[in-house]
C-alpha cells in the first residue's frame, strides 16, 4: 500500500478558505463540533483508525509556502491581507481530531475554535476515501483509461456549450486520480472548463479556484441566531465581508422554499446567482427563474451553479431545460475524480453543534430538499420544521 499523505495545505476546497476568512473576521471566539457521517454504510478494515491517525498527524507538518501565499494574494484580492498572514502561520492541530474504530465502524469527530477547525472536513474525507480503497486493495482503472474517460466527458460538456468546474476533492479516489483528471481537463485551452474547487490543483494547473460558502455557514447561523433568521443573516454577513465578491448563494440548508422567502430583492440583486445542491434540479431552476421574475430581475442576467451528484446525462437534461431561460454552470465532483471502475464512497462530514455564550452546545441541522439528506439532532430537526413551517 502506497503511503497516503496530503502534499499541500491548500489541498482543500476553496470555500473553506473563504469561510475561514469570514469566521476570523466575524466569529473569532466560537467553538464548534463536526462529525463524520458514513451514509453508504461502508465497512472499514481492521487498523483503519491507526492508519488514518498517521495521516492526520502528518498534516501538522503542512505549511503555506511563499508561492502559495502569493497565488492567493494575486488570485483572490478579496481575501484580507491579515488573513493571508494568519494562514501563513497556521498549522493543523491533530489533537482537534478524535478517531475511533469499533469493528468495521469508524467514528471521526472534530472539536475546537471554528476559525481553526473549519479546515479539517474536506481533507479528512479525501484521506478516508483514498485510504479506504488502498487498505481494501481495490484495483482501479488504468491511468490511460482515467485520462481518456475525462477527455471524453470534457468533449461532451463542450459540445453542450456549458461552462463547468471540477468539484471532486472530498470523495476523490486518490490524489493521483485527481491530478490525472485535472491534467486532462486543462489540455484543451479552448475548453469551457472554468476551474477547480481545489485550491492546490487550481494553482498547479493555472485555473481559477471556485467556491463561496457551504452549508455549515448557514447551519452555524441557525444555531447562533435561530432558524427564522439563519438565511437572511448568513447572506447579510457574507455581503458585509465580501462586498459583492463571491456572489453565489447556497440555497438549500433549510429547503429552497424557505430560502426564497428571505432571498428578497436586495439579495437577489446583490448576489450573482445561486447554487443547487439537493432535490430536483429542473424544478429548482424553474423556481429560481420565477423568483427573479417576481422581483423584476431578468433571469438571463443571473445564473445557477448545479453541483448535486452530476453525471453527463444529468448535465444534458438540465442544459436542455434551462437554455435561454437563465445562466447555468456546473460543478462536477465525484463523477470526475472517482469514476475509475469502483463504487464511490458516500461519506460526508457535517457541523453538528456550536457552543452558546452560556457554554451549552446547540445542535445544528440541515434540512435539504431531499428528506434523506436531513442531518442533525432529530428533536432539533422537528423544531426547525415547526418554526419554518416545513411540511413533509
Amino acid at each position: 500500500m502506497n503511503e497516503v499523505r496530503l502534499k499541500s495545505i491548500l489541498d482543500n476546497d476553496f470555500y473553506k478558505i473563504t469561510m475561514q476568512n469570514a469566521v476570523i473576521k466575524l466569529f473569532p471566539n466560537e467553538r464548534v463540533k463536526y462529525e463524520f457521517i458514513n451514509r453508504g454504510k461502508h465497512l472499514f478494515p481492521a487498523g483503519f483508525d491507526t492508519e488514518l491517525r498517521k495521516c492526520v498527524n502528518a498534516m501538522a507538518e503542512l505549511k503555506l509556502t511563499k508561492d502559495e501565499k502569493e497565488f492567493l494574494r494575486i488570485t483572490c484580492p478579496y481575501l484580507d491581507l491579515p488573513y493571508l498572514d494568519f494562514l501563513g502561520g497556521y498549522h493543523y492541530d491533530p489533537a482537534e481530531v478524535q478517531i475511533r474504530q469499533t469493528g468495521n465502524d469508524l467514528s471521526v469527530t472534530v472539536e475546537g475554535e471554528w476559525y481553526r477547525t473549519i479546515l479539517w472536513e474536506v481533507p479528512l474525507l479525501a484521506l478516508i476515501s483514498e485510504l479506504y480503497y488502498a487498505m481494501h486493495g481495490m484495483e482501479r482503472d488504468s491511468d490511460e483509461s482515467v485520462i481518456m474517460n475525462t477527455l471524453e466527458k470534457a468533449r461532451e460538456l463542450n459540445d453542450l456549450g456549458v461552462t463547468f468546474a471540477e468539484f471532486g476533492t472530498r470523495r476523490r479516489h486518490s490524489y493521483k486520480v485527481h491530478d490525472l483528471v485535472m491534467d486532462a481537463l486543462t489540455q484543451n485551452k479552448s475548453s469551457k472548463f472554468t476551474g477547480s474547487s481545489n485550491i492546490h490543483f487550481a494553482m498547479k494547473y493555472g485555473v481559477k479556484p471556485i467556491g463561496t460558502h457551504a452549508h455549515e455557514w448557514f447551519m452555524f447561523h441557525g444555531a447562533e441566531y435561530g432558524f427564522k433568521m439563519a438565511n437572511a443573516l448568513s447572506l447579510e454577513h457574507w455581503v458585509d465581508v465580501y462586498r459583492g465578491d463571491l456572489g453565489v448563494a447556497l440555497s438549500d440548508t433549510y429547503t429552497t422554499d424557505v430560502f426564497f422567502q428571505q432571498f428578497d430583492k436586495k439579495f437577489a440583486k446583490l448576489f450573482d446567482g445561486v447554487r443547487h445542491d439537493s432535490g430536483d434540479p429542473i424544478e429548482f431552476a424553474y423556481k429560481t427563474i420565477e423568483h427573479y421574475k417576481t422581483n423584476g430581475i431578468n433571469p438571463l442576467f443571473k445564473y445557477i451553479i448545479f453541483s448535486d451528484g452530476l453525471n453527463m446525462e444529468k448535465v444534458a437534461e438540465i442544459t436542455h431545460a434551462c437554455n435561454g431561460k437563465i445562466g447555468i454552470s456546473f460543478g462536477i465532483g465525484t463523477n470526475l475524480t472517482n469514476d475509475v471502475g469502483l463504487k464511490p464512497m458516500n461519506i460526508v462530514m457535517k457541523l453538528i453543534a456550536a457552543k452558546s455564550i452560556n457554554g451549552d452546545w446547540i445542535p445544528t441541522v440541515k434540512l435539504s430538499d431531499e428528506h434523506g439528506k436531513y442531518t442533525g439532532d432529530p428533536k432539533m430537526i422537528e423544531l426547525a420544521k415547526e418554526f419554518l413551517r416545513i411540511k413533509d
Side-chain angles (χ1 to χ4, degrees):
M1 184 182 78
N2 294 329
E3 189 174 63
V4 176
R5 294 288 186 272
L6 288 193
K7 296 173 173 58
S8 165
I9 201 167
L10 293 187
D11 189 358
N12 207 328
D13 276 346
F14 185 51
Y15 65 27
K16 285 293 182 173
I17 294 292
T18 58
M19 287 192 298
Q20 187 181 48
N21 177 52
V23 169
I24 288 172
K25 205 164 188 175
L26 301 179
F27 305 108
N29 302 311
E30 306 293 344
R31 287 182 68 84
V32 296
K33 289 180 184 177
Y34 296 85
E35 183 176 70
F36 171 70
I37 302 170
N38 181 9
R39 280 183 180 161
K41 304 288 189 286
H42 305 285
L43 302 178
F44 292 90
F48 191 92
D49 56 340
T50 303
E51 292 303 315
L52 182 59
R53 172 52 67 186
K54 289 177 186 175
C55 297
V56 168
N57 289 346
M59 288 173 67
E61 304 302 317
L62 296 173
K63 188 175 180 181
L64 192 75
T65 67
K66 287 184 179 179
D67 287 345
E68 288 172 333
K69 185 177 180 181
E70 187 66 3
F71 171 77
L72 290 173
R73 187 186 70 80
I74 293 170
T75 312
C76 316
Y78 40 76
L79 293 176
D80 299 328
L81 290 177
Y83 168 69
L84 295 183
D85 285 341
F86 161 82
L87 194 61
Y90 176 88
H91 290 275
Y92 283 105
D93 179 2
E96 293 167 343
V97 183
Q98 295 77 47
I99 303 167
R100 294 179 299 279
Q101 184 171 352
T102 306
N104 297 124
D105 293 330
L106 181 70
S107 166
V108 183
T109 55
V110 175
E111 181 181 332
E113 281 77 21
W114 194 18
Y115 77 90
R116 287 194 47 80
T117 55
I118 196 168
L119 293 190
W120 279 112
E121 174 195 347
V122 175
L124 275 175
L125 290 171
L127 286 169
I128 288 169
S129 182
E130 182 166 357
L131 198 57
Y132 177 83
Y133 296 114
M135 288 189 70
H136 275 297
M138 299 178 182
E139 286 195 27
R140 64 168 172 86
D141 294 342
S142 67
D143 291 0
E144 293 76 17
S145 179
V146 170
I147 292 166
M148 293 305 296
N149 191 19
T150 305
L151 289 172
E152 178 56 33
K153 288 174 183 174
R155 276 193 293 272
E156 288 180 38
L157 290 161
N158 286 333
D159 288 346
L160 282 171
V162 296
T163 59
F164 69 100
E166 177 274 308
F167 277 19
T169 304
R170 64 187 58 227
R171 286 185 283 269
R172 68 189 182 195
H173 172 273
S174 58
Y175 178 92
K176 175 70 182 295
V177 167
H178 201 163
D179 198 24
L180 290 170
V181 166
M182 283 296 297
D183 186 47
L185 289 174
T186 51
Q187 285 182 20
N188 180 1
K189 300 305 177 189
S190 63
S191 162
K192 290 183 177 291
F193 176 63
T194 57
S196 172
S197 66
N198 185 292
I199 322 150
H200 166 68
F201 283 116
M203 177 179 170
K204 181 174 180 178
Y205 287 99
V207 297
K208 183 181 176 183
I210 295 176
T212 53
H213 46 240
H215 292 109
E216 71 176 285
W217 183 252
F218 295 83
M219 292 165 75
F220 170 82
H221 280 76
E224 184 81 357
Y225 301 107
F227 300 119
K228 280 187 177 292
M229 298 299 295
N231 283 320
L233 281 175
S234 295
L235 297 173
E236 199 73 63
H237 283 149
W238 197 256
V239 172
D240 287 346
V241 173
Y242 288 111
R243 316 299 298 174
D245 281 313
L246 302 173
V248 177
L250 182 59
S251 59
D252 71 332
T253 309
Y254 302 104
T255 75
T256 293
D257 289 340
V258 170
F259 173 82
F260 279 138
Q261 289 168 16
Q262 297 186 325
F263 194 65
D264 60 11
K265 184 176 284 193
K266 170 187 170 180
F267 291 130
K269 286 191 170 185
L270 277 175
F271 282 83
D272 302 317
V274 294
R275 179 159 73 91
H276 169 266
D277 198 50
S278 67
D280 185 294
I282 295 172
E283 182 182 327
F284 173 83
Y286 291 155
K287 280 182 183 178
T288 305
I289 291 165
E290 186 57 36
H291 184 75
Y292 281 129
K293 286 180 176 177
T294 300
N295 283 281
I297 298 167
N298 185 344
L300 290 171
F301 295 156
K302 300 293 182 177
Y303 66 97
I304 302 170
I305 293 182
F306 295 92
S307 63
D308 180 31
L310 297 174
N311 54 35
M312 297 306 104
E313 293 75 25
K314 250 189 179 179
V315 171
E317 186 183 353
I318 293 166
T319 301
H320 295 318
C322 295
N323 261 346
K325 296 171 184 166
I326 191 167
I328 57 172
S329 185
F330 297 90
I332 305 174
T334 310
N335 189 256
L336 284 174
T337 60
N338 203 349
D339 185 12
V340 295
L342 300 170
K343 186 177 180 180
M345 299 191 79
N346 186 1
I347 53 175
V348 294
M349 193 158 194
K350 290 294 178 187
L351 184 77
I352 60 165
K355 204 164 195 177
S356 67
I357 294 172
N358 62 12
D360 294 333
W361 285 102
I362 303 171
T364 59
V365 300
K366 172 176 166 260
L367 311 176
S368 75
D369 290 329
E370 290 176 35
H371 296 172
K373 282 190 173 181
Y374 283 4
T375 58
D377 177 78
K379 288 183 180 178
M380 196 62 84
I381 288 173
E382 290 306 312
L383 189 63
K385 285 164 62 180
E386 187 175 338
F387 265 109
L388 299 172
R389 296 181 181 177
I390 297 170
K391 295 177 181 178
D392 291 334

